[in-house]
Amino acid sequence: MIEFCLKSLNSRSRFAPIANHRCHREKGHDGKCLEYPYLKDLQKRYKKIADKIKRDSTNTTGASWASDDAGPNRILRWAMLLSDEELLNYELDMSKLRPGIVAKLREKAATYEDCMQVAMKLTWLVYQMPDSPTPPDDIERYLEKVFKEMTPSSTKCEVCLLPISFNLFSTAQRGKAAIETCHKNPRVHNADNVGFAHRECNIAQGAKTLDEFYAWIEGILNRARRL
Amino acid sequence: MIEFCLKSLNSRSRFAPIANHRCHREKGHDGKCLEYPYLKDLQKRYKKIADKIKRDSTNTTGASWASDDAGPNRILRWAMLLSDEELLNYELDMSKLRPGIVAKLREKAATYEDCMQVAMKLTWLVYQMPDSPTPPDDIERYLEKVFKEMTPSSTKCEVCLLPISFNLFSTAQRGKAAIETCHKNPRVHNADNVGFAHRECNIAQGAKTLDEFYAWIEGILNRARRL
C-alpha cells in the first residue's frame, strides 16, 4: 500500500472541477507535486506510450463509433458522471446524440481516482512486458507498493493469454496500434479490470466480458468439432 | 447444373467494359434478359436485402478502413483486376492510397462471373434461413439447379454455426446490420467461400480464414483452462 500526497493540482481542463486533479507522488515527497510521477521515465524515453497510458486511462474510447452524429470522439471519463443537464454547461448536448452512442458513452464513466489507478496499473504492466525497458528504481518501488512485485516478461494479453511484447507498441497496421488497452468487463473501468490485449484479440472480445467471450468460443468450437 | 442465357446487357457503370454484364436467366428463356432474375422476389418484398446481396456480391467492403486517405469506400470487385495504370483512366489513383489500403482493396478483386455466383449463393442461403419467406417456385427451381436442393431453416452463421434468422436482417445496432456477408477465406470471393455470419462473429473472425480462427480460439481456450 501507498499513501499519496493528494494535494490539489491546477488543470486547464474544462472538466477539472469534476476531476479535482491531485498529486500522486508519495505523501511527504520532496520537490514539486506531480499527477503521474510513475510515468516520468516513459514520458522521457517513450512519449507515445506514456501519452497512450494517460489517454486510455482517462478518456472514453471512440474509434468504432466515430462519425458525424457520434459526438465527441474521446472525452474524459469523469465527465460522463455528470447528468445530461450538467453537461449542457460544457457545451455537450447529449440529446443530440443517437441513443446507442449515449449508452456507449455513459458506460465508460469512471471516477478520477479510478482512472488514476488504471494509469498506474497499465504502467506496472508495461514494465513487465517482454522486451520492456527496466524501470528506474524509484518508479519500480512506487508501482510495487501500489500493486505487487513485478515479474519481468510476465505481462500477457488479457484475452489470448500469450505474452505481449513491448516492441508491439511501435508496430501499427493501417494506423491502428497493435496493442490496445482492454477491459475484462468492458463496462468497468478500474485497475482490477484493465490490462493490455492484442488489437485483434480486443476486437474479437467486443462487448463481451472475458468470461462471456470464453464461453462463447467454447460453444463455437464444440459445434465446429461436430462438423 | 444450369445453362445461362449470357446475352450481353447494357450497363451505365463506368467499369462495364471489364464486367461485360450478362443475362443470367436460363438459356432459351421467354421475355427480357435479366442480370439477377433470382432476386426478383426479394427485390419486390425486401428491397434492402436484395440490394445488400447485390452490393456484397459485387463491391469491395470498406467500412473498417473508410477515411480521408482510404480511397473509394466501396468499389466494384472486378475493377480491382485492373492494373494501377489502367485504373488511372477511371480516375482512380492507387498511388495516392496508403499501401495497406491498396493491399486490402487488391485482395478483394474478383471476376464478374464469380460475383454473379456469389449473389446466387447468398440468395439461395437467404431462402433457407429460419423465418425466411418461401421462394416462388421458379426461383426455387433456378437456385436448386445452380446449387443443390434447399433445406428450410438450415442456413447457419458460417463462424459460430448457430442458425441465423432472416428476421435479423431488420435489426441493426448503431447503424450496423446484424447479419454480414462472410468469407471462409477472407481473400477469396466466390460461391464456395461465402456465406452469412452474425456481425460480431464476422468481426471476431477478422482477417483469419475460418480454419485459422478455430485453431486460434482453441489455443486461447487451452490457455484459459490452465488458469
Side-chain angles (χ1 to χ4, degrees), chain B residues 128-148:
Chain B
Q128 295 176 83
M129 286 179 170
D131 311 309
S132 83
T134 307
D137 287 346
D138 58 332
I139 289 179
E140 184 175 8
R141 264 196 312 274
Y142 177 100
L143 291 170
E144 292 191 336
K145 266 192 185 175
V146 180
F147 302 107
K148 56 178 190 183

Side-chain angles (χ1 to χ4, degrees), chain A residues 160 200 208 223 225, chain B residues 160 200 208 218 223 225:
Chain A
C160 81
E200 65 175 339
K208 299 178 179 71
R223 287 187 293 279
R225 285 194 191 109
Chain B
C160 80
E200 65 174 340
K208 298 178 181 69
E218 184 157 28
R223 286 186 293 278
R225 284 194 192 110

Side-chain angles (χ1 to χ4, degrees), chain B residues 96-201:
Chain B
K96 285 200 177 140
L97 304 178
R98 279 190 283 126
I101 304 296
V102 172
K104 204 85 195 143
L105 278 169
R106 286 298 187 185
E107 75 182 32
K108 306 287 183 206
T111 63
Y112 169 75
E113 202 42 54
D114 272 336
C115 293
M116 292 303 105
Q117 294 277 332
V118 165
M120 293 173 205
K121 177 73 175 289
L122 294 178
T123 310
W124 182 74
L125 287 170
V126 161
Y127 280 125
Q128 295 176 83
M129 286 179 170
D131 311 309
S132 83
T134 307
D137 287 346
D138 58 332
I139 289 179
E140 184 175 8
R141 264 196 312 274
Y142 177 100
L143 291 170
E144 292 191 336
K145 266 192 185 175
V146 180
F147 302 107
K148 56 178 190 183
E149 212 179 318
M150 297 201 204
T151 312
S153 298
S154 66
T155 296
K156 292 184 170 55
C157 168
E158 297 286 342
V159 179
C160 80
L161 306 168
L162 287 173
I164 192 161
S165 166
F166 181 83
N167 295 329
L168 268 185
F169 274 120
S170 54
T171 67
Q173 279 199 311
R174 291 183 276 142
K176 306 289 189 178
I179 298 184
E180 293 188 348
T181 297
C182 112
H183 295 78
K184 290 173 208 173
N185 176 340
R187 283 158 294 282
V188 177
H189 189 70
N190 65 31
D192 275 349
N193 194 55
V194 298
F196 289 107
H198 300 106
R199 180 173 156 74
E200 65 174 340
C201 297

Side-chain angles (χ1 to χ4, degrees), chain A residues 77-95:
Chain A
R77 287 177 183 263
W78 45 84
M80 284 300 103
L81 297 170
L82 296 178
S83 70
D84 285 10
E85 268 189 350
E86 288 169 309
L87 283 171
L88 286 173
N89 300 325
Y90 295 91
E91 280 150 62
L92 249 174
D93 189 349
M94 300 294 273
S95 72

